[in-house]
Amino acid sequence: MDYATENKIILKLNENNYRYTLIFVAMQNNNIEMFELLVKYSIEKGIKLIIDENDIEKMISENKKYSSCKLKSISEINSKFFKLICFCKNKNLIKVIFSRNSYFLKRFKEINENKRKGNESKDYDVLEIENKIKKIELEKEKKEKEKIRKENEIKKIELEEEKKEKEKKEKEKIRKENELMKIELEEDKKEKEKIRKENELMKIELEEDKKEKEKIRKENELMKIELEEDKKEKEKIRKENELMKIELEKQRKIKEEKEYKKLEKKNYIMEKYNNKRDNNETILTSECKQGNIEEVKKLIHYGMNINEKNKDGDTPLLIAFKNGNVELVKYLFSYKLVKEKVIIS
């Protein structure tokens, strides 16, 4: 049993090996110590011993022919065994399966009745074993409690470690969440900064667009003004052209008129020259002698020299004086005072 305990081997106490169970062997050999060891081992390992009265009867019946079987009937089992088995049964350490006409049940009733009445004979060997069993139970209970205490301590440590681990994980989780939150806040900050910059750029673009529009508006206004000025200039040019055209037309007419007058003058002078009878006279002196004041005016107007002399050396004024033509003299005087110095002689 010590070997089995050391090597963590669980022995099969209730198994029937070669016609016998371990308890039956202890009972037929009247070996209380062996029974005590079986009970102790079963208590330590938490194994419930089973005593089947039917199997015991069968084993006694089948093994009578063998000299190794020392029991002839159940009644030959030592009374100490019955007391110990009854004690263990009452302690729920042994399960007893009674036969139909159970001798075990009869003996257990007697033992329990004597205990109740206090008539039980003192069997110190049995009491010692019972005390040992109680001690084993107490020891087991103590060990169980110690085991439970240790398990509780381990559990407490595990719970503490689990708590610490949980706290650690929670802290790590919180740390990671804080880091993520920090990252998110940083990203949010960057995003806001990006949006702010975009808004600034948009604002700048809008401002530039506004300036551009204002520039275009001013350019359009300038263009409009220029177009208006150009229109005015064109209108001015048109008017100037019209005026120029009118002026040209006027100049053309004046020129034509001058040409006509020149031609008329030329024709008139040619006509006068052709009609002149006295070759000693100029055309102007000839008209002065004739007293034709209107013709004189016309000839002077056509550019005839008012101081031109005839072949006799007489000027138109002198001729007017000689003829006593006062009106012609006045005209010649008035003309000469304006144009040039009058030559009388």
Side-chain angles (χ1 to χ4, degrees):
M1 286 185 178
D2 290 337
Y3 177 82
T5 302
E6 286 175 7
N7 291 278
K8 297 180 180 180
I9 299 169
I10 304 298
L11 297 173
K12 297 177 181 179
L13 304 182
N14 296 311
E15 196 173 68
N16 189 335
N17 294 314
Y18 304 104
R19 303 185 303 274
Y20 301 117
T21 62
L22 295 175
I23 291 176
F24 179 74
V25 172
M27 284 191 294
Q28 79 161 347
N29 290 325
N30 197 24
N31 194 330
I32 298 296
E33 187 180 356
M34 189 65 70
F35 180 81
E36 181 188 341
L37 287 171
L38 283 170
V39 173
K40 182 181 177 183
Y41 184 80
S42 68
I43 291 169
E44 287 175 352
K45 301 301 176 183
I47 300 169
K48 197 168 190 177
L49 292 170
I50 298 171
I51 296 174
D52 191 336
E53 191 176 0
N54 296 303
D55 287 343
I56 292 171
E57 288 175 352
K58 188 178 178 181
M59 282 186 281
I60 291 170
S61 176
E62 287 180 355
N63 291 298
K64 279 181 181 180
K65 54 186 175 180
Y66 300 105
S67 58
S68 59
C69 184
K70 298 175 182 180
L71 296 173
K72 303 301 178 183
S73 69
I74 290 176
S75 59
E76 291 182 4
I77 296 172
N78 193 327
S79 61
K80 291 180 180 180
F81 275 101
F82 282 109
K83 288 180 180 180
L84 289 170
I85 291 167
C86 183
F87 172 78
C88 291
K89 181 182 177 299
N90 292 336
K91 289 281 186 180
N92 203 26
L93 300 173
I94 293 176
K95 180 182 178 181
V96 179
I97 300 170
F98 300 108
S99 65
R100 189 170 184 180
N101 297 311
S102 177
Y103 183 77
F104 271 80
L105 184 59
K106 181 183 175 183
R107 290 301 306 273
F108 289 168
K109 284 180 180 179
E110 288 175 0
I111 292 165
N112 289 328
E113 186 65 24
N114 288 330
K115 277 186 179 181
R116 189 179 65 79
K117 291 179 179 180
N119 296 328
E120 185 183 14
S121 60
K122 300 293 181 181
D123 192 332
Y124 292 103
D125 291 339
V126 173
L127 287 172
E128 186 181 352
I129 292 169
E130 286 179 355
N131 288 332
K132 283 182 179 180
I133 290 169
K134 286 179 181 178
K135 190 177 178 182
I136 290 165
E137 280 189 306
L138 288 170
E139 190 67 30
K140 185 187 177 183
E141 188 179 349
K142 186 179 177 182
K143 285 181 180 179
E144 195 66 33
K145 285 181 179 179
E146 182 64 20
K147 183 182 176 183
I148 291 167
R149 187 188 66 78
K150 286 182 179 179
E151 284 177 352
N152 287 335
E153 282 185 0
I154 290 167
K155 195 171 183 180
K156 189 178 177 182
I157 291 165
E158 286 176 352
L159 285 169
E160 191 66 30
E161 287 178 354
E162 188 180 347
K163 185 182 176 183
K164 286 180 180 179
E165 187 66 25
K166 191 176 179 181
E167 285 178 356
K168 186 180 176 182
K169 285 181 180 178
E170 192 65 29
K171 284 180 180 179
E172 183 64 19
K173 184 183 175 183
I174 291 166
R175 187 188 65 78
K176 286 182 179 179
E177 285 176 353
N178 287 335
E179 283 184 0
L180 285 170
M181 197 181 292
K182 191 177 178 182
I183 291 165
E184 286 175 0
L185 285 169
E186 191 66 29
E187 287 178 353
D188 185 60
K189 187 179 176 183
K190 287 180 180 178
E191 188 65 26
K192 284 181 179 178
E193 182 63 20
K194 184 183 175 183
I195 291 166
R196 187 189 65 78
K197 287 182 179 179
E198 285 177 353
N199 288 336
E200 282 185 359
L201 286 170
M202 196 181 291
K203 191 176 177 182
I204 291 165
E205 286 176 0
L206 286 169
E207 191 65 30
E208 287 178 353
D209 185 60
K210 187 179 176 182
K211 287 179 180 179
E212 187 66 25
K213 284 181 179 178
E214 183 64 20
K215 183 182 175 183
I216 291 166
R217 188 189 65 78
K218 287 181 179 180
E219 286 177 353
N220 288 336
E221 283 185 359
L222 286 169
M223 196 181 291
K224 191 176 178 182
I225 291 165
E226 286 176 0
L227 286 169
E228 192 66 30
E229 287 178 353
D230 185 60
K231 187 179 176 182
K232 287 179 180 179
E233 187 67 26
K234 284 181 179 179
E235 183 64 21
K236 183 182 176 183
I237 291 167
R238 187 187 66 77
K239 287 181 179 180
E240 285 177 353
N241 287 336
E242 284 184 0
L243 288 170
M244 194 181 290
K245 191 176 178 182
I246 292 165
E247 186 65 27
L248 286 170
E249 185 65 24
K250 187 178 178 182
Q251 286 179 5
R252 186 185 66 76
K253 286 181 179 180
I254 290 168
K255 188 178 179 181
E256 284 181 355
E257 190 177 348
K258 282 182 178 179
E259 287 293 326
Y260 176 76
K261 285 182 178 180
K262 187 178 179 182
L263 183 62
E264 186 182 23
K265 172 186 172 183
K266 185 178 178 182
N267 291 333
Y268 177 76
I269 291 170
M270 285 296 295
E271 185 183 355
K272 288 291 181 182
Y273 186 78
N274 290 328
N275 293 330
K276 182 171 68 71
R277 295 175 183 176
D278 191 352
N279 291 327
N280 290 325
E281 298 294 334
T282 65
I283 297 170
L284 184 58
T285 57
S286 177
E287 292 296 333
C288 284
K289 278 186 177 183
Q290 293 177 31
N292 296 328
I293 189 167
E294 293 299 325
E295 294 297 325
V296 171
K297 287 179 180 180
K298 198 172 183 180
L299 286 169
I300 291 169
H301 177 70
Y302 283 160
M304 296 300 291
N305 188 357
I306 196 171
N307 293 315
E308 188 179 6
K309 297 176 181 179
N310 59 16
K311 288 184 178 181
D312 294 328
D314 295 332
T315 63
L317 183 60
L318 182 59
I319 292 168
F321 265 97
K322 285 181 178 181
N323 291 334
N325 193 336
V326 177
E327 188 179 353
L328 181 57
V329 170
K330 285 181 180 180
Y331 169 74
L332 290 172
F333 267 130
S334 65
Y335 185 82
K336 279 183 170 290
L337 286 171
V338 176
K339 297 291 181 180
E340 55 185 67
K341 185 180 177 182
V342 179
I343 300 173
I344 298 174
S345 59

